[in-house]
Amino acid sequence: MAFTTIFTRLNVLLTVLLFNTAFFSALFGSILVYRLYQHALCEFDGPRLAAASKLWHFGHMFRVSNHLFLDGLTKKYGKIIRTGPQELTVTDPEVWEAVNKPGSLCIKSPWYDMLWPYVALNSIRSKEGYATRRKRWDDALRISNANLADKKRLIDSAAAQLLRRIEASLGQPFDATAEFYNFSFDLMGEIAFGQSFSLLDSQSYFSQNSPPDLISQGMSMLRYFTPVPWVGRLSFFMAPYFPIITQKWNRALDWAAKVCDSRLQRGVECQESTDAFSRFILSAARDGDRQSLDRQALYGDAFAITVAGSHSTAATLTMMFFELARHPSIQLRVRQELRIAGATIQQSNHNSAQEIIDTSVFDRVPFLDGCITETLRLYPVVPTGGIRQTVNKAVKVGDKWIPPHTVIVIPRWSIGRSDYAFDMPNDFVPERWTVKSHMVHDVRAYNGFGAGRWICPGKQLGMMEIRVLATMVLLNYEFSLASTPRNETRVVDDFQDNFTATPGKLELMFKPIIHLG
Ligand code: HEM
């Protein structure tokens, strides 16, 4: 009797198993056949397995950073590659105009849902709700005549602190990557939240669990999740059951939420003119814009501004100083240009640095600006991110039509280094942006701050931070690469594409410039 029952149950189990195997094989088999032979993207070349599933791309992220992986594919397959069942990677410079211009129907891709339940400015995917919030942030972050002095004072004072750190390091290698992160993080804290994190005050360098480290660790998760945002979303959803997978990400988000809470607790009325958050909140409250004042929206914005306002500037400074350190003649030319432009220094007291550099100097330093642009061309702060998608209409790029509902990946890293757009594409040649413009064949291939609707709202601010710090350092010190192990290439070898760029460690040796008279 018992034997018959077991036998019957086994039979039922086998039948269910057989039925499921048949059902799922047919389902996945037909999906596979459709993706490989019937899909609208079949006309585009690319790796066969990429067309079958994004898991193929995901697998590669465990051994190579996405910017190099996509660069390899670009070299092999050309300007438009099928990198997923429903995804194209496009390196034709025309693509930016097609997806970003004001009338374009393209929206941000599902990647931007990664922050959910937070809804940051940059994670609003469609036009609805974006324009008003964007205008508020533009106003809050803008450098205007009214707040120029405030912003300049903060930047000068952070730059002066960094100079003191350099002074203290003389004779030994200076961890430039860590210190540029400290610099931009302290500034971002002051400018965005009216709160310094005092990283440049403290004795510790870029220590474990310091805010920049916390945020970098959180962002490092995006290295794996960017090609497959649904794996990211699934992992975040499962976080309560498997906290280990996403804990770095969640710690970074929690940190930004706490900074936001602390800003709100301090009240915003008294600091109207100084920090961006208070200006944003006051303007939203004045207009009764409840959507912008929603706590999940504010937490999202706090995280976005923290990352965008610090990592971008820090990465640009690191890579620019790396290039200037290994090209002493270029370093000398920038220094000479600054002197001719009238930039002067006050040696005795770096605290009063706000008197040192008059911002009008920056109208007369095209070569310094060329160095910044050249750095962003070679080492974009968003190397492959900024993913878009078409909606219900095809979009033309070059002579190709990108079908509706296609995800479009646009790797700045590869476009910026393309030989059809630039002469000597892998070399650092700032003159191509000044007197050697013939070395730029297609200026659209440069996209350092984004363009169109989603152009960076912190562009002016970021530029000012870099110009001020670079000027103060260049006028006070000569610098070269420290001769520590791997230091010649480590900053590039360890460069990671975590949506924002994370450069490797760079150590510099500084030597004071003696000023006569
Ligand atoms: C050298 C400095 C900087 C560079 C190179 C840079 C670059 C960029 C780029 C390329 C994007 C577009 C990303 C995309 O397509 O999704 C972007 C967006 C953004 N940036 Fe910057 N950025 C810099 C500094 C800053 C600063 C200082 C802030 C604020 C304090 C800031 C705030 C933002 C925000 C909020 C966005 C999202 C805009 C949106 O989607 O509407 N950035 N930035």
Side-chain angles (χ1 to χ4, degrees):
M1 178 66 183
F3 179 74
T4 324
T5 316
I6 291 172
F7 188 72
T8 318
R9 284 191 182 156
L10 213 64
N11 247 344
V12 171
L13 204 72
L14 274 176
T15 314
V16 170
L17 206 70
L18 212 68
F19 181 79
N20 273 299
T21 312
F23 175 78
F24 284 110
S25 307
L27 178 69
F28 288 121
S30 59
I31 290 177
L32 201 65
V33 170
Y34 170 70
R35 287 178 173 180
L36 292 179
Y37 302 106
Q38 303 281 309
H39 199 281
L41 297 188
C42 284
E43 65 161 302
F44 296 97
D45 207 1
R48 210 79 180 123
L49 285 173
S53 166
K54 279 304 289 178
L55 290 173
W56 177 78
H57 191 165
F58 178 53
H60 280 85
M61 294 302 95
F62 290 89
R63 54 170 198 84
V64 59
S65 182
N66 204 22
H67 65 295
L68 297 180
F69 181 69
L70 292 182
D71 201 46
L73 292 185
T74 301
K75 288 196 172 91
K76 187 163 177 197
Y77 294 99
K79 284 187 186 171
I80 305 190
I81 314 160
R82 187 176 184 194
T83 42
Q86 225 173 313
E87 177 186 288
L88 295 177
T89 292
V90 184
T91 49
D92 185 328
E94 219 180 286
V95 68
W96 274 310
E97 167 90 351
V99 301
N100 288 336
K101 69 183 171 196
S104 167
L105 291 176
C106 290
I107 59 170
K108 289 187 169 179
S109 74
W111 183 93
Y112 285 88
D113 290 333
M114 204 83 84
L115 268 187
W116 194 88
Y118 297 168
V119 186
L121 166 74
N122 71 323
S123 56
I124 302 175
R125 291 180 52 203
S126 57
K127 285 182 183 171
E128 289 79 47
Y130 178 76
T132 323
R133 191 140 141 218
R134 170 65 200 236
K135 167 91 179 56
R136 272 188 223 298
W137 274 116
D138 278 344
D139 291 344
L141 290 168
R142 178 170 299 135
I143 299 183
S144 64
N145 288 340
N147 63 30
L148 175 67
D150 277 340
K151 293 244 169 55
K152 184 75 183 15
R153 182 182 50 76
L154 293 172
I155 298 172
D156 284 343
S157 140
Q161 275 180 299
L162 191 79
L163 253 63
R164 281 202 293 277
R165 307 271 285 203
I166 293 177
E167 195 69 30
S169 81
L170 293 179
Q172 47 188 319
F174 178 80
D175 186 344
T177 310
E179 292 293 20
F180 289 145
Y181 271 80
N182 288 340
F183 166 79
S184 49
F185 227 84
D186 269 359
L187 257 179
M188 178 277 302
E190 290 273 18
I191 290 174
F193 302 104
Q195 170 192 356
S196 171
F197 300 109
S198 303
L199 297 161
L200 291 168
D201 280 343
S202 68
Q203 287 308 306
S204 66
Y205 281 77
F206 185 57
S207 62
Q208 244 191 349
N209 294 329
S210 69
D213 185 47
L214 210 75
I215 298 295
S216 290
Q217 284 193 30
M219 291 301 287
S220 69
M221 299 302 298
L222 297 183
R223 166 183 174 151
Y224 307 102
F225 294 148
T226 290
V228 271
W230 61 267
V231 172
R233 287 287 331 127
L234 196 68
S235 309
F236 301 140
F237 180 73
M238 303 291 278
Y241 315 103
F242 303 101
I244 190 100
I245 303 177
T246 53
Q247 69 180 5
K248 289 180 181 170
W249 176 253
N250 288 334
R251 273 169 50 201
L253 286 186
D254 288 350
W255 182 87
K258 279 195 191 111
V259 172
C260 178
D261 281 340
S262 130
R263 183 68 200 90
L264 294 171
Q265 273 157 21
R266 295 200 308 277
V268 293
E269 305 80 14
C270 50
Q271 296 204 27
E272 183 179 358
S273 64
T274 53
D275 68 280
F277 240 81
S278 67
R279 280 199 301 281
F280 177 83
I281 290 168
L282 281 170
S283 118
R286 190 189 54 224
D287 298 346
D289 176 359
R290 292 171 58 169
Q291 215 178 4
S292 292
L293 293 174
D294 176 80
R295 206 41 89 96
Q296 307 294 1
L298 288 175
Y299 286 166
D301 282 346
F303 185 70
I305 298 283
T306 298
V307 175
S310 62
H311 276 216
S312 45
T313 322
T316 312
L317 280 166
T318 306
M319 299 318 296
M320 185 167 89
F321 273 74
F322 167 64
E323 290 293 352
L324 294 180
R326 60 181 195 146
H327 293 105
S329 61
I330 298 180
Q331 190 186 132
L332 187 67
R333 270 200 68 186
V334 194
R335 193 172 291 118
Q336 282 167 346
E337 181 191 66
L338 285 165
R339 286 186 185 138
I340 293 168
T344 49
I345 53 156
Q346 184 178 318
Q347 269 183 300
S348 54
N349 179 5
H350 291 314
N351 260 334
S352 58
Q354 62 267 34
E355 290 158 31
I356 296 176
I357 302 155
D358 168 7
T359 43
S360 70
V361 163
F362 299 135
D363 298 336
R364 303 185 290 276
V365 287
F367 192 65
L368 171 63
D369 283 356
C371 289
I372 300 174
T373 306
E374 188 66 347
T375 303
L376 290 172
R377 177 185 74 82
L378 281 174
Y379 310 104
V381 301
V382 183
T384 61
I387 305 170
R388 307 286 181 249
Q389 79 166 77
T390 52
V391 282
N392 51 5
K393 279 205 175 123
V395 166
K396 198 167 185 211
V397 176
D399 57 355
K400 295 275 183 198
W401 283 95
I402 297 189
H405 308 292
T406 302
V407 169
I408 308 175
V409 178
I410 312 170
R412 276 185 188 81
W413 178 278
S414 303
I415 303 181
R417 289 166 178 253
S418 54
D419 51 11
Y420 49 81
F422 301 103
D423 274 352
M424 299 162 64
N426 294 314
D427 292 0
F428 186 76
V429 188
E431 291 88 349
R432 72 174 85 237
W433 304 106
T434 57
V435 291
K436 292 189 182 167
S437 56
H438 59 273
M439 294 183 75
V440 179
H441 304 304
D442 191 341
V443 73
R444 297 172 306 172
Y446 169 74
N447 189 273
F449 288 91
R453 276 181 281 166
W454 295 291
I455 191 169
C456 170
K459 178 177 176 181
Q460 257 187 313
L461 194 58
M463 283 298 283
M464 171 94 99
E465 292 178 21
I466 294 166
R467 284 170 176 154
V468 169
L469 183 65
T471 304
M472 286 175 63
V473 174
L474 280 157
L475 291 181
N476 280 289
Y477 301 97
E478 285 171 359
F479 49 91
S480 54
L481 294 176
S483 45
T484 46
R486 288 183 62 225
N487 195 39
E488 299 245 309
T489 55
R490 183 179 42 196
V491 68
V492 179
D493 293 346
D494 295 353
F495 187 100
Q496 293 293 326
D497 173 9
N498 300 331
F499 181 71
T500 47
T502 308
K505 183 171 173 169
L506 169 71
E507 289 172 299
L508 297 176
M509 293 299 289
F510 285 92
K511 199 170 120 202
I513 294 173
I514 311 294
H515 298 276
L516 302 170

